[in-house]
Amino acid sequence: MRPHRVVMAVTDDMPIFEAAVPCQVFGVDRPHLSDPWYQFSVVPVGNAPVRLSPGFTLAPVRDGWDLESTDTLVIPACTNVHDDPPAELVEVVREAYRRGIRILSICSGAFVLAAAGVLDGRRATTHWLHAEELARRYPAVRVDPSVLYVEDANVITSAGTVAGIDACLHVVRIDHGAAVAAELARRLVTPPHRDGGQAQYRRPASPAARDDWLAGLLEWAGGHLHLPLSNADLAAQANVSVRTVERRFAEALGMSPLRWLLQQRVRLAQQFLETSDRPIEWIAATCGFGGAASLRAHFARIVGVPPTTYRRTFHERPRTAPIAS
């Protein structure tokens, strides 16, 4: 049986990590997992060695493009999301798409696919830092910044950096089955499937207010999150009407007062989960959720994982104290 051929297209100044992930997953022969494994090629655009950031030179494994026999095309990342990707690379993606070749992008590589028109009308993702830029530049793309990767027909896009491993393992799962993907994950010392999405790696936004009385009100509210604050409470503190508070929150912050309070409570809960061993019930009361059930529901909806899962991932363990002599 002919091995599945994976081709990775690279250009100058692409980041080394995103390029290294497909090399490790598809480029290392693993007959003990599946025989045949993958036939993997690195093809620099222009068919010349390329410089990868920071300070690596990558030579082509095989000469020239051969889309006739390519099954999967990998675009590891953009050099700069604010620049137009190389026209030759964009054309390669278009041709691969026309031929029905499966296309996988890692991190900002989604910008190359979007420039080629491959993502028009599709749900796609990229690193959460670049999601707004992708949606702004390519409004036909349905950008979902909350997930680690998205499969839409024969197009797969993944979030930043390490999420490329998740997406590549997903490709292995499609081609060789869940058991093979799980065994490969063990050898790579990574989970075969991670819980949650990108939301757990970013904090809810804390936009700044532009006027003095609202800035003072936000500071006061941030210090009283343990209280069951209402719009009326905020209005009384600022000595304005409820309607004025609601209007100024919408104008300055783009959200309602209650939504802002909820985001601040989640931010505070994240800090306690990361830096303390306080019980969930204590965190819920201190952050103004009222009870643990309310904290779990709101936290999972906004962050993407339950508080206990978040704590396991991000909790800062104290360093071991030196033994006294």
Side-chain angles (χ1 to χ4, degrees):
M1 182 175 60
R2 182 179 74 83
H4 186 106
R5 187 185 182 203
V6 177
V7 172
M8 182 174 68
V10 293
T11 58
D12 280 337
D13 297 325
M14 281 184 171
I16 185 63
F17 187 96
E18 284 81 351
V21 167
C23 294
Q24 181 66 28
V25 173
F26 306 117
V28 176
D29 192 23
R30 304 179 189 275
H32 52 285
L33 294 180
S34 182
D35 192 13
W37 190 239
Y38 292 94
Q39 179 186 343
F40 181 72
S41 302
V42 178
V43 183
V45 171
N47 294 321
V50 298
R51 298 180 304 277
L52 300 183
S53 177
F56 294 85
T57 299
L58 186 63
V61 175
R62 302 184 189 278
D63 296 331
W65 291 103
D66 182 15
L67 292 179
E68 290 284 348
S69 61
T70 298
D71 300 297
T72 297
L73 175 67
V74 179
I75 307 297
C78 269
T79 301
N80 188 326
V81 298
H82 301 290
D83 296 336
D84 292 332
E88 185 177 352
L89 179 59
V90 172
E91 185 53 40
V92 166
V93 172
R94 286 198 185 107
E95 179 61 22
Y97 181 67
R98 284 194 290 265
R99 292 174 177 268
I101 294 170
R102 181 171 60 193
I103 303 174
L104 163 66
S105 70
I106 297 175
C107 192
S108 58
F111 283 78
V112 180
L113 274 59
V118 169
L119 299 182
D120 287 355
R122 293 184 184 274
R123 179 168 165 259
T125 193
T126 188
H127 194 296
W128 60 267
L129 281 172
H130 306 315
E132 289 186 4
E133 177 68 10
L134 181 63
R136 184 189 67 81
R137 289 181 61 184
Y138 304 100
V141 182
R142 295 186 288 119
V143 180
D144 185 350
S146 68
V147 295
L148 296 177
Y149 60 86
V150 172
E151 180 186 6
D152 191 327
N154 64 336
V155 178
I156 301 171
T157 53
S158 69
T161 312
V162 177
I165 299 176
D166 298 284
C168 288
L169 285 174
H170 179 65
V171 170
V172 173
R173 192 177 301 113
I174 294 171
D175 296 337
H176 298 283
V180 170
E183 182 59 29
L184 175 57
R186 292 188 188 97
R187 293 171 184 267
L188 297 177
V189 196
T190 189
H193 180 78
R194 284 193 289 165
D195 293 331
Q198 292 193 76
Q200 62 187 304
Y201 299 99
R202 59 186 299 184
R203 298 189 188 280
S206 182
R210 290 193 296 268
D211 46 74
D212 292 338
W213 75 262
L214 184 53
L217 179 60
L218 297 183
E219 183 177 359
W220 176 85
H224 294 80
L225 294 175
H226 59 288
L227 299 176
L229 298 176
S230 65
N231 289 356
D233 295 325
L234 297 176
Q237 176 63 27
N239 197 28
V240 297
S241 68
V242 171
R243 180 172 296 182
T244 298
V245 166
E246 294 172 343
R247 177 175 56 82
R248 291 303 299 129
F249 267 78
E251 292 174 352
L253 306 180
M255 64 185 72
S256 69
L258 295 182
R259 181 183 172 192
W260 181 86
L261 285 169
L262 179 59
Q263 288 193 353
Q264 303 317 299
R265 288 181 169 124
V266 168
R267 284 174 63 87
L268 185 59
Q270 287 177 302
Q271 294 175 21
F272 284 126
L273 291 167
E274 293 170 7
T275 60
S276 79
D277 291 312
R278 294 283 191 175
I280 296 296
E281 291 74 12
W282 183 92
I283 295 176
T286 303
C287 297
F289 287 99
S294 177
L295 167 62
R296 292 188 181 99
H298 289 298
F299 195 94
R301 179 174 60 83
I302 293 176
V303 180
V305 293
T308 52
T309 301
Y310 185 88
R311 169 172 269 169
R312 284 197 302 268
T313 303
F314 295 103
H315 186 243
E316 297 176 357
R317 300 294 178 187
R319 296 181 180 179
T320 303
I323 299 176
S325 58

